[in-house]
Amino acid sequence: MSTRSAPAMFDDLWTDARLVTMRGDGLGVIEPGALAVKDGVIAWIGPMSDLPATGAKRRHDAGGRFVLPGFVDAHTHLVFAGDRVGEFERQLGGATRKELAAEGGGILYTMRETRKAPVEELVAIARPRLRRLMSEGVTTLEIKSGYGLDLDSELNMLRAARRLGRENGIRVVTSFLGAHVVPPEFAGRSRDYLTHLAEVILPAALAEGLVDICDGGIEGLSIQPEEMMILYRAALNAGLPVKGHTDQYGDVGGAGQLAALGALSADHLEYSSEASITAMAKAGTVAMLLPGSTLFLNEPRRPPLDLFRRHGVAMALATNCNPGSSPTLSPLLVLALGCSLFRMTPVEALRGYTVVGARAAGLAGKVGELRVGLPAEFVLWEIGQPAELCYWLGGAPPREIVSGRSGI
């Protein structure tokens, strides 16, 4: 059955499609199906046999191709200046991340380069990265700050993210990650830095309408978990949802702390305990899995997928595009890694990059599915079955990308 009465005239109608709607708990495939668009919104979707006798300005024969929602890349650090190729070469020669950081490398190197770049330069540098993600079917993405670590540079990163969305016709969700690490001017004063973020930088970003989510790190490294709560409380009091990087290097109970805050997602989670995962399940906090980092850093530890499944914690996937631990711009590679490294099923991986990714981005019920009333953002793939998108290591380019926002 169709899900809504047909309007008098559609703008566009796709027929003979194999629609992967992401409805229910699986892929929700309708075949052969039809999908109609009116004013950039899905106006009708259902089996070909139920297609109403109505007109369309433009008709498209999908030719039996699979049609999936546009990908939602809900964890990226897309905006930054400089790269860390030299550090990559040195690590291959045996240098440790700790040694590089002691020499002024790592995040602080990227901070210095990013602070020197005006908004226009940050946009120009990030634009090719964004277009590469879009070319593989991303229609919504999250972009974090966190490489500025002072008022002007953090705001510039967020301004650049907003501009990238406007100028490229893609939905961008921004996350404030001022609590990425402690900058040099606050060395030894991490609590003062978190107070500065909560009382000065975050309010300035909010006043300019630059922030959708507050992110942070609960790893017990340069910032202690109780200090992160200074910023998280300020964000929640301002009406912002929160998420966080945690339990990547050891079990600090961060996933449980994030769940207690009602966080959208807890990200990384290689060492999360069953107690934390139980709390995530109760709170509805998404497990954001980032296999690009696991591959690039050659980390042996894997997130506890069996516990996520046992407790019913939804799993999302994202590129985690960043210069230090996941320099990838390929959602298709991440889908493959989610299956080959983490042993996700193709259904879990595909849902993780669409409907569950939408939850992690604070867009549950708004993107990541094919259903009436949602934006017309979908991709036609030249594949024999959906699992093929997880099988090829970065292969299977899209046949056609449809976006009501960009017209691409």
Side-chain angles (χ1 to χ4, degrees):
M1 295 291 292
S2 64
T3 52
R4 193 175 111 179
S5 298
M9 176 71 77
F10 299 131
D11 292 331
D12 291 271
L13 174 65
W14 280 263
T15 58
D16 192 21
R18 304 164 85 176
L19 302 170
V20 182
T21 67
M22 299 297 170
R23 303 295 289 159
D25 296 328
L27 297 181
V29 178
I30 299 173
E31 56 179 330
L35 184 154
V37 173
K38 178 75 172 179
D39 297 327
V41 173
I42 297 175
W44 191 93
I45 184 169
M48 286 280 291
S49 58
D50 292 345
L51 182 63
T54 188
K57 296 176 184 177
R58 294 170 292 273
R59 298 178 69 94
H60 312 267
D61 183 359
R65 296 182 180 89
F66 278 98
V67 179
L68 276 76
F71 290 144
V72 180
D73 197 348
H75 183 126
T76 86
H77 304 252
L78 195 76
V79 173
F80 60 87
D83 61 48
R84 306 231 283 270
V85 176
E87 292 183 14
F88 169 64
E89 291 185 293
R90 289 195 58 200
Q91 284 178 296
L92 293 175
T96 67
R97 298 181 76 191
K98 185 176 181 179
E99 290 170 343
L100 294 170
E103 297 169 4
I107 291 173
L108 294 182
Y109 168 80
T110 303
M111 177 204 73
R112 292 192 298 274
E113 295 300 305
T114 301
R115 284 183 175 184
K116 292 186 291 187
V119 173
E120 293 75 15
E121 184 177 346
L122 291 174
V123 170
I125 292 170
R127 187 182 296 116
R129 301 172 191 149
L130 174 61
R131 291 183 175 172
R132 173 63 187 273
L133 290 172
M134 295 173 69
S135 74
E136 289 196 8
V138 172
T139 55
T140 296
L141 81 159
E142 181 251 27
I143 300 177
K144 305 178 191 297
S145 68
Y147 290 125
L149 306 181
D150 64 13
L151 176 61
D152 291 341
S153 301
E154 284 291 298
L155 294 184
N156 279 345
M157 289 188 70
L158 294 166
R159 290 170 185 143
R162 289 285 197 232
R163 277 186 54 180
L164 286 163
R166 290 193 304 269
E167 294 176 2
N168 294 276
I170 186 170
R171 183 181 294 96
V172 170
V173 175
T174 56
S175 290
F176 176 67
L177 185 57
H180 201 176
V181 296
V182 178
E185 54 267 31
F186 280 89
R189 298 188 296 127
S190 55
R191 182 172 290 273
D192 290 345
Y193 179 58
L194 268 293
T195 300
H196 179 67
L197 291 176
E199 295 182 355
V200 178
I201 301 183
L202 178 60
L206 287 168
E208 210 172 311
L210 296 175
V211 186
D212 301 313
I213 299 169
C214 182
D215 202 342
I218 303 181
E219 293 288 3
L221 299 173
S222 62
I223 298 170
Q224 297 305 306
E226 63 271 16
E227 295 169 341
M228 263 307 309
M229 296 305 148
I230 297 171
L231 180 58
Y232 279 149
R233 284 193 295 268
L236 292 169
N237 287 339
L240 280 181
V242 301
K243 61 168 54 182
H245 300 56
T246 193
D247 296 344
Q248 182 180 8
Y249 308 108
D251 178 18
V252 298
Q257 293 178 62
L258 286 163
L261 298 174
L264 294 172
S265 68
D267 302 25
H268 288 291
L269 307 179
E270 282 83 347
Y271 289 87
S272 292
S273 68
E274 186 163 8
S276 287
I277 292 167
T278 301
M280 289 176 63
K282 184 176 180 180
T285 298
V286 169
M288 172 58 73
L289 308 182
L290 305 167
S293 293
T294 302
L295 176 71
F296 190 77
L297 299 177
N298 196 27
E299 294 283 359
R301 185 83 174 198
R302 304 289 189 264
L305 265 69
D306 287 344
L307 290 178
F308 296 145
R309 293 174 180 134
R310 185 184 310 161
H311 294 283
V313 173
M315 296 177 284
L317 279 172
T319 57
N320 188 24
C321 172
N322 74 73
S325 68
S326 187
T328 181
L329 295 167
S330 175
L332 293 171
L333 176 60
V334 170
L335 284 169
L337 294 177
C339 295
S340 63
L341 285 184
F342 291 173
R343 313 312 291 175
M344 297 177 81
T345 68
V347 170
E348 289 171 336
L350 291 168
R351 287 182 60 83
Y353 230 125
T354 52
V355 63
V356 183
R359 284 179 53 187
L363 296 172
K366 298 179 180 180
V367 296
E369 306 170 58
L370 299 182
R371 61 181 172 89
V372 168
L374 266 59
E377 297 171 359
F378 50 88
V379 183
L380 283 72
W381 296 93
E382 197 78 64
I383 51 176
Q385 55 183 306
E388 197 170 323
L389 294 175
C390 306
Y391 168 74
W392 292 104
L393 295 173
R399 172 64 178 256
E400 180 181 1
I401 301 172
V402 176
S403 173
R405 294 173 61 85
S406 63
I408 58 175

